[in-house]
Amino acid sequence: MVSSVPYDSFAPNPNTPDGKTLLGPAKGTVPRGFKPLHLASGPEEAARAGRELKNPYPASPEVLARGQVAFQRYCTPCHGSGGLGDGLVTARFPMPPSLLGEHAKGLPDGQIFHIITHGQGLMPAHGSQVAPEDRWKLVHYIRTLQNPARTARKDVP
Ligand code: HEC
């Protein structure tokens, strides 16, 4: 009982190819329901994302409301609640460009998705915090900020 016969999960193991008892998933394994994104970081890949990716969600009120919640959670500290680039941290962190400017307006949806996923310049990557579906909903919400004629819920704090 004190010293068990089998190898402990995290004990070294001379019988396995990598010397570890607990084997990793086989190469290329994808968790059920997970859609791998074949996008690397960098401006070329951002441009490719802009050409190749389409927003899979319609701009429904539910999608916009979720985009607004995600924006307020993850983006307002830097970009400000209206997307003008005047978030609270800009007292100490360089001010980001306005998301309402001509440059951001001209970015294709897929490129914005890529910027959120991998970051750009001083903006950190948000791929690990923000789920892919929320990133697409954020794109819709940004379009609403850029074009207020599109409706957004006003009752989400
Ligand atoms: C830590 C601060 C910070 C956070 C948080 C942040 N950003 Fe940014 N963002 C920046 C900065 C700084 C830039 C300018 C990057 C550069 O150097 O090109 C930027 C650039 C962008 C751009 C490109 C704008 C353009 O005209 O090129 C988009 C789109 C964008 N951010 C969206 C978002 C979204 C959506 C979120 C929330 C998921 C977010 N950002 C969170 C700081 C931030």
Side-chain angles (χ1 to χ4, degrees):
M1 288 298 276
V2 172
S3 55
S4 64
V5 179
Y7 287 96
D8 287 333
S9 307
F10 295 99
N13 190 323
N15 307 305
T16 57
D18 62 357
K20 296 176 183 166
T21 300
L22 204 61
L23 297 175
K27 204 162 181 265
T29 306
V30 176
R32 193 182 288 259
F34 177 80
K35 292 198 197 84
L37 254 185
H38 300 289
L39 287 175
S41 57
E44 291 84 21
E45 286 287 275
R48 184 169 75 84
R51 286 190 304 275
E52 295 179 4
L53 300 184
K54 294 270 166 292
N55 197 330
Y57 295 94
S60 67
E62 293 74 30
V63 163
L64 289 175
R66 178 66 199 166
Q68 183 173 21
V69 168
F71 191 83
Q72 282 164 346
R73 276 189 197 152
Y74 300 106
C75 320
T76 47
C78 297
H79 287 279
S81 58
L84 291 172
D86 55 354
L88 277 177
V89 308
T90 56
R92 285 163 182 270
F93 186 84
M95 211 174 150
S98 170
L99 295 178
L100 278 54
E102 289 311 310
H103 184 262
K105 279 185 182 166
L107 291 172
D109 287 359
Q111 189 164 348
I112 296 183
F113 179 87
H114 186 281
I115 293 171
I116 302 170
T117 309
H118 286 288
Q120 171 184 288
L122 287 173
M123 173 172 153
H126 284 70
S128 59
Q129 299 100 298
V130 187
E133 57 268 28
D134 281 351
R135 284 176 244 158
W136 283 120
K137 293 174 187 178
L138 275 165
V139 172
H140 273 309
Y141 183 66
I142 291 171
R143 297 299 183 213
T144 303
L145 289 176
Q146 292 169 342
N147 176 10
R150 293 176 77 176
T151 47
R153 267 174 65 182
K154 294 275 184 280
D155 56 338
V156 182

